[in-house]
């Protein structure tokens, strides 16, 4: 059976395509989900793609991933820079974790340069737009099939 990767998206990412397109582009979150769903099958993975504007919901989903997912790809959005709760939840997850940001956070305001998530992420991708999610999924496929 294909291993499942949770792809979790934080606050305001539901507005992707409409929200600050000069920063985040015009691709919608639904289009990113479609692109990843199409890619996952040939990579031998199943994906469970979710978005929430609520920190606690993301924490609950990370706990659920402990039982149901082999890996997590997460764009915590603004919670990247504030959430000890997400950091602590991710610490309880034993599989690989990819942190993804559409924009290059290091080119932006200083408060975006610090991530609570990066210390527990296996790797971090930022600045590649929607393609960053695809790169993370490719890496996840390699990682999850080579450790069998
Ligand atoms: C983001 C970067 C964050 O700083 C910001 O708060 C977001 C999106 C990104 O994907 O570039 O909401 O995570």
């Amino acid at each position: 059976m294909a291993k499942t990767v949770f792809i979790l998206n934080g606050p305001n990412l539901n507005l992707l395509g409409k929200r600050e397109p000069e920063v985040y582009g015009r691709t919608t979150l639904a289009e990113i989900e479609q692109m990843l769903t199409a890619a996952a099958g040939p990579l031998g993975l199943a994906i469970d793609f979710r978005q929430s504007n609520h920190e606690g919901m993301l924490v609950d989903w990370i706990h659920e991933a402990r039982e149901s997912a082999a890996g997590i790809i997460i764009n915590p959005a603004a919670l990247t820079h504030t959430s000890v709760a997400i950091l602590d939840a991710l610490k309880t997850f034993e599989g690989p974790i990819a942190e993804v940001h559409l924009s290059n956070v290091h080119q932006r305001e200083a408060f975006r340069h610090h991530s609570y998530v990066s210390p527990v992420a296996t790797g971090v991708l930022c600045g590649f737009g929607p393609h960053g999610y695809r790169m993370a999924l490719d890496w996840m496929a390699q990682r999850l099939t080579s450790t069998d």
Side-chain angles (χ1 to χ4, degrees):
M1 224 181 78
K3 289 180 176 168
T4 299
V5 176
F6 274 20
I7 305 179
L8 304 180
N9 295 280
N12 303 304
L13 291 171
N14 54 310
L15 296 180
L16 220 53
K18 299 185 194 123
R19 169 197 183 205
E20 299 179 81
E22 66 289 354
V23 178
Y24 298 115
R26 297 205 175 269
T27 307
T28 65
L29 199 63
E31 287 166 344
I32 293 176
E33 179 175 7
Q34 280 164 22
M35 179 259 286
L36 296 172
T37 302
L43 289 171
L45 296 174
I47 63 162
D48 193 329
F49 190 97
R50 305 179 188 188
Q51 187 274 333
S52 177
N53 293 327
H54 305 281
E55 184 175 24
M57 180 61 80
L58 289 156
V59 169
D60 286 345
W61 286 344
I62 294 164
H63 294 177
E64 188 185 333
R66 287 162 46 80
E67 309 300 326
S68 312
I72 296 176
I73 296 171
I74 185 163
N75 181 350
L79 295 170
T80 308
H81 318 299
T82 62
S83 181
V84 177
I86 288 179
L87 164 69
D88 284 349
L90 287 170
K91 274 186 186 167
T92 75
F93 184 74
E94 288 177 0
I97 298 168
E99 177 185 348
V100 173
H101 301 282
L102 295 146
S103 63
N104 180 349
V105 286
H106 301 290
Q107 280 175 346
R108 302 182 62 197
E109 304 97 316
F111 67 83
R112 296 185 203 275
H113 298 176
H114 176 260
S115 166
Y116 279 98
V117 171
S118 297
V120 289
T122 318
V124 183
L125 283 154
C126 75
F128 298 105
H131 196 67
Y133 286 85
R134 177 59 211 262
M135 291 159 84
L137 192 67
D138 280 346
W139 169 78
M140 200 57 89
Q142 206 169 34
R143 172 72 181 251
L144 293 176
T145 51
S146 65
T147 54
D148 276 339

